[in-house]
Amino acid sequence: MAKEIDRIRARSALETVKESPFIATVAVLPVVVALGVVWWLTNWFVALIVLVALGAVVVVRGKLLH
């Protein structure tokens, strides 16, 4: 049952992005700006490390919440 709920949420999120890409842009924009600032202040490698760390946090938090 839990897998079905996740699929429903994923499909709903995908439909939202398809209907209004602006919503997705607004949601992603702060992350892009933060990575751009990190890249500008340091270099691309540090920005890549920050991106990987943020991705790991999202994955770990997602697994801990379920």
Side-chain angles (χ1 to χ4, degrees):
M1 177 97 177
K3 293 289 182 183
E4 292 174 11
I5 293 173
D6 290 338
R7 288 182 183 169
I8 292 170
R9 286 184 182 172
R11 286 184 183 156
S12 298
L14 185 59
E15 289 298 320
T16 301
V17 170
K18 285 181 180 178
E19 284 183 21
S20 179
F22 182 74
I23 294 173
T25 304
V26 169
V28 172
L29 191 61
V31 174
V32 172
V33 169
L35 287 174
V37 169
V38 169
W39 189 340
W40 180 59
L41 291 175
T42 60
N43 58 22
W44 67 270
F45 187 71
V46 175
L48 180 67
I49 291 173
V50 169
L51 181 63
V52 169
L54 287 174
V57 167
V58 168
V59 169
V60 169
R61 276 190 73 194
K63 288 187 178 188
L64 289 178
L65 292 176
H66 288 99

